[in-house]
């Protein structure tokens, strides 16, 4: 079609524009009225036409501003809006059981390169439709779908309104699950590039640290990747995560240590100021940190982690006004008592301390030393 490369100064330019309007509107109508074969071809043709148009002649420039041609602006905007709506409809209720969603994602991966398409997609509430598709894949077909879905999310990570939605969904958790289990280089690359974009936005950095991304990045860096962009992105992501960890409060660091199960005798465990200042934060999320400490007692095979977990429970008992009651209600006493016969003396010592503080209560607990 000449209409996307025509020179406005040529005599037949106006006629070419009229043909453009007719062709585009025809393809748009076929999306909703044709059978699947016609819908798929129309979708792909429209996507190619819209994405391949000249930046200065195609109705909307790369920065989203209108071109000089009012006719083309109206046509492209109308067609693009209709196309995005059809793609979202396919993600909700595909016309074809196996081809509907992959076709829609392939076209979106092309269209979302344009800022105006990102805007229309967010307005159509399309971002939430991508999230369920972000999950580990095994077959070649599902890997390609996963890659193109992650490519769409990467493109959306350059658009602030889309980032706001990504921050309130499980997108980050799903991306990390994918990158942790994927061996396909192109999938790992696009996910790492997306995480790198999201890192400085809002609370994404802190969430990434809590979800254990620093350890995952270290593991990925140890693998043999041929893509230089991926290696560079991994280094940048690692540096950014380290900077976020430095900014975290002492309780954030403690929480990170507990959630990852990597307990060690860092200074905060025996720091009375830390416990006095942060004791109420242990109540967050229905005593999540205490529950994880108790889970460590049941599942960890690391004597150091077991010893530290016992000691931290004893610290909570000492510094929280209702520490004894809460720890008892969470059924930690039985777990700790089992460890009093542990073969490691460090574990035995701290299990005994925890039980002493649990039985003696806060009035006498301060007289007991680790």
């Amino acid at each position: 079609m000449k209409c996307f490369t025509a020179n406005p100064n040529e005599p037949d330019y106006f006629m070419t524009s009229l043909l453009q309007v007719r062709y585009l509107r025809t393809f748009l109508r076929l999306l909703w009225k044709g059978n699947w074969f016609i819908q798929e071809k129309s979708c792909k043709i429209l996507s190619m036409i819209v994405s391949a148009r000249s930046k200065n002649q195609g109705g909307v420039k790369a920065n989203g501003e209108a071109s000089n041609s009012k006719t083309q602006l109206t046509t492209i905007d109308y067609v693009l809006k209709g196309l995005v709506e059809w793609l979202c409809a396919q993600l909700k209720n595909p016309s074809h059981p196996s081809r509907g969603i992959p076709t829609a994602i392939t076209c979106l991966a092309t269209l979302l390169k344009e800022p105006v398409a990102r805007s229309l997609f967010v307005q159509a509430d399309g971002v939430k439709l991508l999230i369920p598709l972000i999950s580990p894949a095994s077959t070649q077909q599902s890997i390609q779908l996963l890659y193109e879905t992650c490519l769409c999310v990467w493109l959306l990570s350059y658009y602030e309104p889309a980032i706001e939605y990504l921050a309130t969904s499980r997108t980050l958790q799903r991306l990390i699950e994918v990158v942790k289990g994927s061996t396909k280089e192109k999938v790992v690359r696009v996910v790492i590039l997306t995480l790198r974009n999201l890192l400085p936005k809002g609370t994404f950095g802190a969430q990434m640290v809590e979800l254990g991304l620093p350890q995952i990045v270290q593991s990925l860096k140890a693998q043999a990747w041929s893509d230089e962009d991926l290696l560079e992105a991994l280094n940048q992501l690692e540096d950014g995560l380290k900077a976020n960890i430095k900014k975290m409060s002492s309780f954030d660091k403690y929480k990170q240590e507990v959630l990852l199960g990597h307990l060690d005798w860092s200074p905060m465990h025996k720091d009375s100021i830390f416990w006095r200042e942060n004791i109420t934060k242990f109540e967050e999320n229905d005593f999540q940190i205490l529950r994880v400490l108790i889970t460590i007692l049941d599942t960890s095979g690391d004597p150091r982690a077991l010893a530290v977990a016992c000691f931290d429970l004893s610290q909570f008992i000492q510094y929280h006004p209702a520490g004894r009651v809460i720890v008892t209600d969470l059924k930690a006493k039985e777990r700790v008592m089992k460890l009093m016969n542990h073969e490691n003396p460090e574990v035995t010592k701290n299990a005994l301390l925890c039980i002493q503080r649990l039985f003696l209560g806060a009035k006498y607990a301060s007289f007991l030393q680790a």
Side-chain angles (χ1 to χ4, degrees):
M1 298 179 78
K2 188 179 178 183
C3 54
F4 287 101
T5 57
N7 185 341
N9 296 321
E10 293 179 1
D12 62 342
Y13 176 74
F14 181 71
M15 183 60 67
T16 302
S17 296
L18 292 178
L19 289 173
Q20 167 192 333
V21 173
R22 183 176 300 176
Y23 284 135
L24 293 179
R25 290 179 180 269
T26 298
F27 283 128
L28 190 59
R29 285 194 296 270
L30 291 174
L31 286 177
W32 298 98
K33 297 182 179 180
N35 59 35
W36 171 249
F37 177 83
I38 295 175
Q39 287 178 330
E40 184 177 31
K41 300 307 175 187
S42 299
C43 168
K44 290 184 177 181
I45 290 171
L46 281 174
S47 297
M48 287 189 293
I49 290 175
V50 172
S51 62
R53 73 191 188 278
S54 168
K55 298 299 182 184
N56 294 322
Q57 296 290 340
V60 181
K61 299 180 182 179
N63 61 3
E65 297 176 357
S67 69
N68 294 328
S69 173
K70 184 177 180 180
T71 301
Q72 287 188 353
L73 172 62
T74 303
T75 302
I76 293 296
D77 278 357
Y78 175 81
V79 171
L80 186 54
K81 186 174 185 294
L83 178 56
V84 168
E85 289 175 351
W86 185 82
L87 293 172
C88 289
Q90 289 302 302
L91 294 179
K92 292 178 184 176
N93 186 24
S95 301
H96 191 280
S98 61
R99 290 294 307 151
I101 290 177
T103 297
I105 292 295
T106 298
C107 292
L108 281 170
T110 300
L111 292 174
L112 291 176
K113 296 174 184 177
E114 298 290 335
V116 66
R118 298 171 195 165
S119 175
L120 291 170
F121 186 66
V122 171
Q123 290 174 32
D125 206 18
V127 182
K128 70 179 182 181
L129 303 175
L130 297 176
I131 312 306
L133 302 177
I134 306 173
S135 60
S138 55
T139 66
Q140 187 61 39
Q141 185 177 8
S142 60
I143 288 173
Q144 183 62 24
L145 177 61
L146 173 62
Y147 167 70
E148 292 183 341
T149 302
C150 292
L151 183 60
C152 290
V153 177
W154 172 64
L155 292 168
L156 290 169
S157 70
Y158 288 96
Y159 186 57
E160 288 297 331
I163 292 174
E164 292 175 8
Y165 181 85
L166 295 176
T168 59
S169 66
R170 283 186 50 82
T171 307
L172 185 59
Q173 291 91 328
R174 286 178 171 270
L175 287 172
I176 291 177
E177 288 173 9
V178 165
V179 80
K180 184 166 58 175
S182 181
T183 57
K184 199 69 174 179
E185 187 163 336
K186 67 178 183 180
V187 174
V188 174
R189 177 180 181 272
V190 73
V191 173
I192 291 298
L193 290 173
T194 303
L195 294 174
R196 184 187 64 180
N197 283 358
L198 295 177
L199 179 64
K201 305 292 184 180
T203 61
F204 277 111
Q207 291 181 56
M208 289 178 189
V209 174
E210 287 187 8
L211 291 169
L213 188 58
Q215 289 73 24
I216 296 172
V217 170
Q218 288 180 7
S219 176
L220 289 172
K221 286 185 66 178
Q223 300 180 39
W225 305 106
S226 59
D227 192 319
E228 292 184 1
D229 289 340
L230 171 56
L231 295 173
E232 181 183 359
L234 283 169
N235 287 329
Q236 292 173 345
L237 187 56
E238 182 180 45
D239 292 341
L241 289 169
K242 287 180 179 178
N244 266 272
I245 292 173
K246 288 182 180 178
K247 294 178 184 177
M248 293 169 68
S249 68
S250 56
F251 185 76
D252 289 328
K253 293 177 182 177
Y254 173 81
K255 184 178 179 181
Q256 168 70 6
E257 185 180 316
V258 173
L259 293 178
L260 293 176
H262 298 158
L263 296 179
D264 204 346
W265 291 115
S266 51
M268 68 188 79
H269 294 279
K270 297 185 178 182
D271 183 359
S272 60
I273 296 177
F274 166 80
W275 287 94
R276 281 196 296 269
E277 291 181 348
N278 295 288
I279 194 64
T280 57
K281 294 180 181 178
F282 283 80
E283 301 172 3
E284 296 175 356
N285 299 319
D286 192 25
F287 297 96
Q288 179 193 28
I289 295 299
L290 284 185
R291 294 178 187 277
V292 175
L293 285 172
I294 295 169
T295 300
I296 290 173
L297 297 181
D298 282 334
T299 60
S300 179
D302 179 11
R304 178 63 56 84
L306 293 173
V308 176
C310 287
F311 181 78
D312 286 1
L313 286 172
S314 72
Q315 292 286 73
F316 178 81
I317 294 169
Q318 178 175 347
Y319 288 96
H320 195 285
R324 292 178 66 201
V325 175
I326 293 168
V327 171
T328 301
D329 287 347
L330 293 176
K331 302 188 182 334
K333 181 174 69 175
E334 294 80 3
R335 274 99 162 174
V336 177
M337 290 187 71
K338 288 180 182 179
L339 294 175
M340 290 175 63
N341 296 319
H342 197 277
E343 58 185 11
N344 184 284
E346 186 180 32
V347 176
T348 303
K349 171 186 174 182
N350 286 283
L352 176 60
L353 172 66
C354 184
I355 292 300
Q356 287 174 329
R357 287 181 171 170
L358 187 60
F359 284 144
L360 291 176
K363 182 178 180 180
Y364 302 103
S366 60
F367 294 101
L368 296 169
Q369 300 297 323

